[in-house]
Amino acid sequence: MDKIWANRLIAGTKTWGEMPASRRARVKAELAKRVAEGEITAEQYKEITEEDYDE
């Protein structure tokens, strides 16, 4: 489910505020993994989570 939320956030079909608080830490980790793998940029990570990406 974390990957699904990450996909929806990246696609823009859901927002960070719509996501259940109980999923935020795991989805944030999934998004960070995608930054490290080059799938999304650190700027996209910040746009989604409203927090800076820490390498």
Side-chain angles (χ1 to χ4, degrees), residues 10 16 19-20 22 25 27 38 41-42 44-45 49-51:
I10 292 166
W16 190 254
M19 184 177 43
S22 62
V27 173
T41 65
Q44 288 172 300
Y45 176 93
T49 65
E50 301 176 356
E51 294 181 13

Side-chain angles (χ1 to χ4, degrees), residues 3-29:
K3 289 181 181 182
I4 293 169
W5 269 103
N7 289 341
R8 295 178 107 188
L9 291 166
I10 292 166
T13 60
K14 290 289 183 181
T15 65
W16 190 254
E18 293 174 300
M19 184 177 43
S22 62
R23 293 214 171 269
R24 290 188 179 177
R26 291 187 304 262
V27 173
K28 197 182 290 186

Side-chain angles (χ1 to χ4, degrees), residues 31-48:
L31 291 169
K33 180 181 107 179
R34 293 181 187 203
V35 173
E37 293 173 348
E39 185 178 331
I40 64 171
T41 65
E43 184 176 313
Q44 288 172 300
Y45 176 93
K46 184 173 183 170
E47 288 171 2
I48 293 168

